[in-house]
Every structure is written in structure tokens, then in C-alpha cells.
Amino acid sequence: MEPFIRNDQYNFIKKQTQTLVNGHSSVNDIAVLQALKSLAIERVLNLFTDISNEQKQLLEPIVEIKDKDHAEEFLLQLKPYVIPFEEVTQQTIKKLMPKVKKLKVPSLENTDWKDISYLSWDDKGSQKRYIIARYNHKLMGLQGTFKPINKKGICTICNKLEEVGMFMTEKKGTVQGTFTKRGNYICQDSQACNANITSLDKLNDFISLSR
């Protein structure tokens, strides 16, 4: 069976397993537990518009989860079916950022492509953050200044409460010689952000407004 689960969907499924673990540890009412199970499997199956019987059989054991060990075992079985983010080379990154002179591209050797919905890194010398994400079925490169604010806020990308910073982009305005600036609070730690993403909606909105 081919991989069919995106990283954000995997994170969503992981969240549902945690809900079941919490339910079994705090609820004794069988009817309530049954409702939690029914809701979990319904939400998980609804992530996929065209799901095969084989894929359903892989996901349905979520209703059997009772504790942390069961959850980890279930998620481990799903991991081989997570679609990796499109692996990019340093040359690809440079093509996506044609206007950036002396672009400093990080080493990507230790990147787990199954754990990310977008790729991000900082150039602290220039206070720049670079982001690569898939948008409208193709890779898109974004760049902007990034300044941590040393406090927690809601991230525009993952919609979770995390340590954030201001990501500011600038693009040419409709009048020649003018520029439009747009700022968004996003996670300081892009790895934590990727782990928080349970839907691509906010990420796509962010790219749409920032490109």
C-alpha cells in the first residue's frame, strides 16, 4: 500500500489517540467511552475523501486504543504510510529564492521529510527567515524578516499557543516605487510548528497572503 497520509493528517490522528487515552484514564462511563471512540474514527476517516478498504483497515484499530502504549504502537504502524514532504536539494532552494543574494542554505541531511508540512530556516546574521511550502500543487519559496518577541502567542500557521516572532514580508505595491508590508506572528521553533499542524488551511492562507 502506498503512503496516503499527509503530515498534518498524521498529527490530527495523533491528537485523536491522545483524546482516547485521556478518556480511558478519566472516564468510567461505557457510553461516554463508546461515543469518544465513534467520534475519533469518524473524524479520522473524514480526513480522506477517497479511502480504500485497505486504508480503512489500517485506521480502524484507533478505536481499540486505551493507553499510551497502545497509542504509540498504533501510530508506529501508520508512520510508513505518511507521505514525505517533497525532498528538496540546495539547488532547488536557490531556484525558489532567485532574488536572494548569497543565500545561506542549511544542511538538510538530518531532515525527516515525513515530519514536516513546510521547510523553514533562519539566517540570524540578516534576521531573515526562509520558508518553503507546497501551494497550489507546486513548491513556493517565501522570505521575510523574523524577530522573536519573547512571549507566547497564537501562531498564524499552526494556530496553537507557542513562543512566536514577527515574520514580515515586503512586496511591490500597485504604484511604482511603493511597497506593501505584511506581518504575521509565527512559531519561533518551526519543528514544533510542524508538529502542531493538524490542517493545511492556515498554512495555505499564510502563503496566500505572504507571497
Side-chain angles (χ1 to χ4, degrees):
M1 183 165 51
E2 293 293 320
F4 67 100
I5 306 168
R6 296 192 311 264
N7 173 64
D8 63 292
Q9 293 170 328
Y10 180 80
N11 291 340
F12 182 89
I13 295 169
K14 188 175 182 179
K15 185 178 178 181
Q16 295 305 306
T17 67
Q18 187 59 54
T19 298
L20 289 172
V21 171
N22 293 343
H24 278 281
S25 66
S26 60
V27 176
N28 293 320
D29 190 317
I30 295 176
V32 173
L33 289 174
Q34 189 58 49
L36 283 176
K37 292 178 183 181
S38 298
L39 194 57
I41 188 62
E42 181 183 353
R43 286 173 171 172
V44 167
L45 293 181
N46 283 342
L47 291 173
F48 308 95
T49 53
D50 187 17
I51 190 168
S52 69
N53 287 332
E54 192 177 11
Q55 291 167 345
K56 281 182 69 175
Q57 288 173 8
L58 183 71
L59 297 168
E60 284 173 343
I62 191 173
V63 299
E64 300 169 11
I65 291 173
K66 295 181 179 179
D67 55 38
K68 185 178 178 181
D69 289 341
H70 282 143
E72 289 178 352
E73 183 180 347
F74 172 73
L75 292 169
L76 199 61
Q77 291 174 346
L78 294 188
K79 197 68 175 180
Y81 301 100
V82 175
I83 304 166
F85 186 81
E86 184 174 338
E87 192 166 341
V88 294
T89 64
Q90 294 199 6
Q91 193 62 35
T92 303
I93 292 173
K94 289 178 180 178
K95 287 181 180 180
L96 291 171
M97 307 282 186
K99 296 180 181 179
V100 183
K101 297 178 180 179
K102 297 181 179 179
L103 177 64
K104 294 180 180 178
V105 180
S107 172
L108 302 172
E109 290 180 6
N110 297 322
T111 303
D112 188 337
W113 300 100
K114 289 188 175 185
D115 283 348
I116 62 174
S117 295
Y118 71 93
L119 180 67
S120 175
W121 72 96
D122 294 335
D123 180 353
K124 293 183 179 179
S126 62
Q127 291 189 313
K128 290 273 191 176
R129 172 164 290 191
Y130 301 97
I131 295 172
I132 292 177
R134 179 161 284 279
Y135 181 73
N136 284 344
H137 308 294
K138 66 178 183 179
L139 288 177
M140 175 82 65
L142 298 175
Q143 61 162 314
T145 58
F146 183 74
K147 294 182 180 179
I149 61 172
N150 299 315
K151 67 177 182 180
K152 288 192 173 185
I154 299 296
C155 171
T156 303
I157 295 175
C158 70
N159 202 38
K160 299 295 189 297
L161 184 66
E162 293 284 356
E163 293 285 340
V164 295
M166 175 60 73
F167 179 78
M168 185 77 70
T169 57
E170 182 179 271
K171 57 184 177 182
K172 290 182 179 179
T174 53
V175 179
Q176 187 174 0
T178 64
F179 294 87
T180 301
K181 289 187 176 182
R182 185 179 296 275
N184 287 288
Y185 290 114
I186 62 174
C187 286
Q188 287 190 41
D189 184 344
S190 60
Q191 186 175 352
C193 187
N194 270 292
N196 284 336
I197 295 174
T198 55
S199 166
L200 294 181
D201 292 344
K202 295 290 185 181
L203 174 60
N204 287 333
D205 288 345
F206 168 77
I207 297 169
S208 175
L209 291 172
S210 302
R211 66 193 178 99

